[in-house]
Amino acid sequence: MKSLKTLNPAQKEAVEYNSGPHIIVAGAGSGKTKVLTQKIAYLIEDGFDASSILALTFTNKAANEMKERIIELIGAAKAKQIWMGTFHSIFAKILRAESDKLNYRPNFSIYDKEDSVSVVSNLLEELNFSIDEHTYSAIHHKISNLKNRMILPEDFAKNYAETVYDQKVAEIYVEYNKRLFENNSMDFDDLLLKPIELFNKYPKILQKYRGQFKYILVDEFQDTNKAQYEVLKFLVYGRTKVCVVGDDAQSIYGWRGADISNMLDFEKDFPKTKIFRLEQNYRSTKMILEAAGSVIKNNKSQITKTLWTENDNGEQLTLVRCSDEKDEAFQVSKQIKREISTKKLSLNDIAIFYRINSQSRALEEALRREKIPYKIIGGVEFYKRKEVKDVIAYLRVFINQNDEESLLRIMNFPQRGIGNTSISKMIAFSRKLNLTLFQTMARIFEVIEVKERIQKNVKQFKLLLDKYIELKDDLSLPELASALIDELGILKIYKEENTPESLQRYENIQELLAGINDFFKQNPKTTIEEFLGEVSLMTGVDQYEESNNSVTLMTVHSSKGLEFPVVFLTGCEEDIFPLNPKFDTDARTEEERRLFYVGLTRAKQKIYITYARSRYRFGEVAYQSRSRFIDELDKKTYTELNGNVGRKSGRRKKAFYDEMYQEDYDDFNQEHRSLRVGSRVKHEIFGNGKILAINGAGDMQKVSVAFESAGVKHLLTKFASLKII
């Protein structure tokens, strides 16, 4: 291949190797995507049938980028034959083809996190569990983690549920899976668990796909969880070739089940594995790489490598000390203006990263005040917006009438006088007679507890759904969506409300119609199922558009896979970055360090690192100490800037220069001396945990506790009844 001439020696060796299992350790900015695409093209030229190649990625954005590059190398005809996509999209495709074996119908719905949390919420109501609504998400997160670790409900109840809270989760877990099945629906985790169930139950189907895939390549292998790795091991058999690509130094998703040991132990599972290291960085300056390397070397669990670059030495990093979050936001805005004016950069060249979403508020306020355009990636994603999800829910019901969550969502949208009380009575009727909610609507006049007026409204709603269920096979997707939105009258409703929020909803519905049209143009024979399958697996990063000329705001997690000339890494303080260090295990602290490393290595030319000495958190001013990761930076790689010099801000200057400032505020303003930050405690419902912070005094004293099962909770000490253990 002529194109192999563009590869460096290490890249070329990795592309051409084809003698057994191999792992490509691809350092940040080392041309990983280029190597993957070149390898796939090389395999096809070397005689591999394109349809026998399975290439798995983690985001649609990465998959689409790879497809475009491969089309340039080998043409569209062959490129389309490759099984290429995210883990979830590829296995959703397999599950739809084999759905009957698991007693599902191929039109099953795929529930995102919000849908799944809604299922948990509805179950808690039906089971009469008195748990506050903030716990819905925590319970779903727990269930999701269990699924990622391949711990099924029965196993969890028998071997893991020790606390009262865990016992409740076990009960909900059983009912949750049952409800998904009744709804002919799967959540994201099922898309990985169900193939394992399928392959275990049906060896012939396993053989079918083993025969299909002769070469399997996995991108971002460091982010695979146990279920993903098990599926991979199922498919790699006999003469099947496997190549995994990743960087252990960028493994940052342990909190959602990713297991770095998959990469560290790959050689044990696949004997005679050959390791290739891509260590030449094409993205960053020497200074940035030296700074990043000085931090990540402190991790004990890693595959050794040394990044180097032929790029310029570049500027030192700038460390900005700020008095509080408002001062931090001001300093970021100030430096953005300086970068643009002195280096003639565009706004699109600049990104602001933060560890937790709540940090964005002060930053957004400052950017708006300074009239600096910005966009947020990974905030409320377009397909997660209420009005968009409402329309999507209609489409889901058209193809899957068992989808109770979607049906409940649209039962009274737009308002048609069917209230929660009536819906509860309909659900009770359906449970009693073992009917779906959709079937109950057809028998609404038998639900005598529901008023006659509301019965008529339900009947009219059912007729509307029946009409479009029948039309869906006769109209194109854009025609169907346009007709539905027109008949519902929601654009008129939003326009007549004439509020900023309603007009934004109006624009979002118009944008949805445009998106459906674009999707149809690219896929003229598309079905509703295919469109919904694409939408359900979208992430915020998938919607990132580099063409928009505005500063980009995002969490450090969302920045993975992106790069910018200038990066601001904000909120670099203990208990924020790293998050909850006093409770973290060494493994979690190492993951936080890898996340910090990811933030640094997104930058091409310049990095600003900011931290505040005080920050408004949990309803009070908390005094902060700077991140340990800053102290790990090689001192010659950065210069310090006192951010608030010359600013008129009494409280901020006092907080910054206060000689009484305590680096360790464990005992700050505590009345209950027996409770200390770091104390191990037990709560009657939430189980065992560790105190992260104590604020306030007397009856208003609050304590933040990280519970092993229930996550972080903020409680009034007076009522928490915490026992020190």
Side-chain angles (χ1 to χ4, degrees):
M1 285 177 67
K2 291 181 180 179
S3 55
L4 293 187
K5 293 179 180 178
T6 65
L7 302 176
N8 66 40
Q11 291 173 332
K12 186 171 184 291
E13 187 183 4
V15 166
E16 292 179 329
Y17 184 77
N18 194 22
S19 298
H22 50 297
I23 183 168
I24 301 174
V25 182
S30 63
K32 169 177 66 70
T33 304
K34 181 178 184 180
V35 169
L36 261 175
T37 51
Q38 292 277 5
K39 188 171 186 71
I40 292 170
Y42 181 79
L43 289 172
I44 292 171
E45 285 202 358
D46 200 37
F48 274 88
D49 187 338
S51 64
S52 72
I53 296 174
L54 171 62
L56 298 165
T57 67
F58 271 80
T59 66
N60 289 311
K61 183 177 185 296
N64 290 333
E65 183 181 350
M66 286 176 64
K67 285 175 185 174
E68 288 171 7
R69 293 197 191 187
I70 290 172
I71 287 172
E72 290 178 8
L73 292 169
I74 62 174
K78 285 185 178 179
K80 285 181 179 178
Q81 295 176 43
I82 301 168
W83 285 63
M84 181 181 294
T86 64
F87 271 92
H88 293 92
S89 65
I90 291 294
F91 290 107
K93 180 179 178 180
I94 290 173
L95 287 169
R96 290 197 192 281
E98 313 293 347
S99 58
D100 61 314
K101 307 296 188 302
L102 299 175
N103 296 317
Y104 278 82
R105 291 186 297 284
N107 60 353
F108 61 79
S109 299
I110 299 173
Y111 283 176
D112 62 18
K113 180 183 175 181
E114 184 183 335
D115 300 322
S116 301
V117 170
S118 180
V119 174
V120 171
S121 169
N122 292 332
L123 282 171
L124 288 173
E125 282 188 29
E126 291 182 32
L127 296 170
N128 292 317
F129 280 178
S130 56
I131 299 177
D132 72 83
E133 67 176 273
H134 297 295
T135 311
Y136 303 159
S137 184
I139 291 174
H140 170 257
H141 181 70
K142 176 85 172 179
I143 292 172
S144 179
N145 260 334
L146 291 170
K147 287 189 174 186
N148 285 332
R149 289 157 55 200
M150 297 175 62
I151 299 174
L152 299 178
E154 300 76 13
D155 187 21
F156 177 62
K158 184 178 179 181
N159 300 314
Y160 297 90
E162 297 177 354
T163 66
V164 173
Y165 177 82
D166 279 349
Q167 289 164 6
K168 287 187 174 183
V169 170
E171 188 176 343
I172 295 164
Y173 189 5
V174 172
E175 295 301 319
Y176 173 80
N177 276 356
K178 190 185 298 182
R179 183 61 50 84
L180 288 184
F181 181 72
E182 290 169 352
N183 289 2
N184 190 38
S185 303
M186 297 186 192
D187 62 18
F188 278 7
D189 305 309
D190 286 332
L191 298 180
L192 303 174
L193 276 180
K194 295 296 181 184
I196 295 172
E197 181 183 342
L198 180 72
F199 295 153
N200 270 322
K201 283 185 176 179
Y202 299 97
K204 286 186 178 179
I205 292 178
L206 174 59
Q207 287 304 120
K208 169 183 169 183
Y209 288 101
R210 281 177 172 172
Q212 175 70 51
F213 305 129
K214 302 298 185 186
Y215 211 114
I216 301 176
L217 303 99
V218 183
D219 189 16
E220 303 288 8
F221 186 64
Q222 76 279 350
D223 292 328
T224 53
N225 59 35
K226 184 175 181 180
Q228 287 164 324
Y229 193 32
E230 286 302 311
V231 172
L232 177 67
K233 288 192 285 188
F234 261 112
L235 293 174
V236 178
Y237 183 79
R239 295 185 178 181
T240 303
K241 302 292 176 62
V242 61
C243 167
V244 299
V245 185
D247 181 7
D248 57 293
Q250 297 184 67
S251 179
I252 58 174
Y253 293 111
W255 52 275
R256 71 180 189 197
D259 189 347
I260 191 174
S261 67
N262 292 345
M263 187 163 189
L264 299 177
D265 298 339
F266 185 79
E267 292 175 89
K268 295 178 185 176
D269 293 315
F270 296 94
K272 299 182 180 178
T273 291
K274 187 171 176 62
I275 298 179
F276 296 90
R277 288 176 173 81
L278 305 184
E279 297 175 309
Q280 183 175 0
N281 176 285
Y282 292 91
R283 176 188 300 151
S284 306
T285 63
K286 289 184 174 71
M287 189 68 69
I288 290 171
L289 287 188
E290 190 172 349
S294 65
V295 174
I296 200 63
K297 74 179 183 182
N298 292 284
N299 272 9
K300 295 177 182 177
S301 299
Q302 58 178 306
I303 298 173
T304 57
K305 59 186 168 301
T306 304
L307 291 190
W308 60 277
T309 185
E310 293 179 347
N311 294 340
D312 294 338
N313 194 55
E315 296 182 50
Q316 287 180 302
L317 287 67
T318 299
L319 181 61
V320 186
R321 299 193 301 172
C322 308
S323 57
D324 61 14
E325 70 275 8
K326 290 183 179 178
D327 183 42
E328 178 183 52
F330 170 81
Q331 296 300 331
V332 169
S333 300
K334 174 182 170 183
Q335 297 302 330
I336 286 173
K337 288 185 172 181
R338 193 184 71 80
E339 286 288 331
I340 290 171
S341 62
T342 59
K343 298 179 182 175
K344 307 304 178 188
L345 297 173
S346 70
L347 293 172
N348 199 43
D349 293 327
I350 298 171
I352 305 172
F353 300 159
Y354 36 82
R355 178 62 183 85
I356 47 180
N357 280 307
S358 59
Q359 290 174 250
S360 74
R361 181 187 58 79
L363 293 163
E364 289 184 70
E365 287 177 359
L367 293 171
R368 284 197 296 267
R369 188 169 55 247
E370 299 299 323
K371 296 181 171 54
I372 299 174
Y374 68 90
K375 57 180 174 286
I376 296 180
I377 304 300
V380 180
E381 300 160 20
F382 180 75
Y383 286 102
K384 302 289 190 292
R385 297 180 190 275
K386 179 194 177 301
E387 59 280 6
V388 174
K389 285 205 67 156
D390 289 337
V391 175
I392 295 295
Y394 271 95
L395 298 179
R396 279 163 52 163
V397 171
F398 294 164
I399 63 168
N400 178 17
Q401 288 82 59
N402 282 38
D403 187 347
E404 187 174 287
E405 287 306 308
S406 294
L407 191 53
L408 287 171
R409 185 179 188 96
I410 61 176
M411 186 75 73
N412 204 33
F413 173 80
Q415 290 186 3
R416 47 178 65 92
I418 308 172
N420 289 335
T421 302
S422 298
I423 292 172
S424 296
K425 290 173 180 175
M426 290 166 62
I427 290 173
F429 182 88
S430 67
R431 301 286 184 264
K432 183 179 179 181
L433 297 184
N434 197 26
L435 300 172
T436 66
L437 186 56
F438 191 82
Q439 290 169 333
T440 295
M441 289 170 61
R443 298 172 60 172
I444 187 61
F445 292 108
E446 296 177 41
V447 188
I448 56 176
E449 296 88 351
V450 175
K451 294 177 181 178
E452 185 180 348
R453 172 180 57 82
I454 298 173
Q455 288 176 338
K456 290 178 179 177
N457 292 343
V458 172
K459 181 183 177 183
Q460 288 302 313
F461 177 48
K462 174 71 163 50
L463 289 172
L464 173 78
L465 295 178
D466 287 341
K467 171 183 171 182
Y468 282 93
I469 289 168
E470 192 173 337
L471 281 173
K472 69 179 174 63
D473 295 326
D474 299 324
L475 299 178
S476 69
L477 177 57
E479 290 170 336
L480 188 77
S482 296
L484 171 68
I485 288 169
D486 187 51
E487 183 159 351
L488 294 176
I490 52 179
L491 287 176
K492 183 181 178 183
I493 292 169
Y494 290 141
K495 203 165 189 178
E496 287 177 350
E497 281 182 23
N498 200 31
T499 64
E501 183 183 8
S502 68
L503 293 177
Q504 182 61 56
R505 293 187 190 281
Y506 178 93
E507 291 295 330
N508 287 337
I509 295 296
Q510 295 282 27
E511 181 65 26
L512 173 62
L513 287 172
I516 289 172
N517 273 309
D518 288 344
F519 187 83
F520 185 73
K521 286 178 183 176
Q522 294 172 18
N523 310 274
K525 295 181 180 179
T526 193
T527 62
I528 300 179
E529 290 91 337
E530 289 167 338
F531 173 72
L532 293 178
E534 183 86 6
V535 165
S536 65
L537 300 174
M538 280 236 180
T539 67
V541 176
D542 292 332
Q543 298 163 51
Y544 173 68
E545 291 291 341
E546 296 181 10
S547 58
N548 297 334
N549 190 27
S550 52
V551 173
T552 301
L553 274 70
M554 61 173 66
T555 63
V556 192
H557 280 100
S558 296
S559 74
K560 183 88 179 301
L562 302 176
E563 59 181 39
F564 301 88
V566 178
V567 163
F568 288 82
L569 201 52
T570 65
C572 295
E573 301 139 33
E574 291 291 292
D575 199 30
I576 292 180
F577 204 174
L579 191 64
N580 298 337
K582 290 177 179 139
F583 184 61
D584 278 355
T585 60
D586 289 343
R588 289 181 183 174
T589 300
E590 291 208 351
E591 178 161 319
E592 289 287 312
R593 186 177 285 110
R594 292 194 293 270
L595 186 60
F596 191 81
Y597 174 83
V598 165
L600 294 177
T601 55
R602 298 310 93 197
K604 298 165 77 173
Q605 300 169 11
K606 177 69 180 178
I607 296 174
Y608 290 86
I609 298 175
T610 67
Y611 70 96
R613 299 300 293 267
S614 70
R615 192 175 291 270
Y616 195 75
R617 303 186 70 201
F618 310 132
E620 293 190 9
V621 175
Y623 294 95
Q624 306 288 100
S625 55
R626 77 182 192 179
S627 171
R628 67 189 69 185
F629 301 147
I630 292 175
D631 297 327
E632 292 173 357
L633 287 166
D634 188 325
K635 286 184 170 53
K636 68 175 178 288
T637 64
Y638 66 87
T639 182
E640 295 194 53
L641 176 67
N642 186 346
N644 72 335
V645 168
R647 293 203 65 211
K648 295 180 180 179
S649 176
R651 181 176 76 80
R652 287 196 281 272
K653 283 192 176 182
K654 185 178 185 302
F656 188 75
Y657 289 107
D658 192 349
E659 295 296 324
M660 300 303 292
Y661 172 77
Q662 297 172 305
E663 285 292 332
D664 187 348
Y665 56 93
D666 284 9
D667 295 321
F668 177 70
N669 203 21
Q670 292 185 34
E671 184 175 277
H672 294 75
R673 309 300 290 183
S674 58
L675 291 179
R676 297 171 57 88
V677 171
S679 294
R680 293 278 298 168
V681 294
K682 185 174 183 178
H683 187 275
E684 185 179 345
I685 293 178
F686 302 131
N688 296 340
K690 197 168 187 177
I691 296 178
L692 303 179
I694 301 176
N695 293 297
D699 288 350
M700 297 309 293
Q701 187 183 71
K702 296 176 183 176
V703 59
S704 300
V705 184
F707 291 102
E708 294 171 2
S709 300
V712 177
K713 299 291 176 186
H714 310 298
L715 311 168
L716 278 172
T717 307
K718 181 179 179 180
F719 301 113
S721 299
L722 296 172
K723 294 181 181 178
I724 296 177
I725 56 175

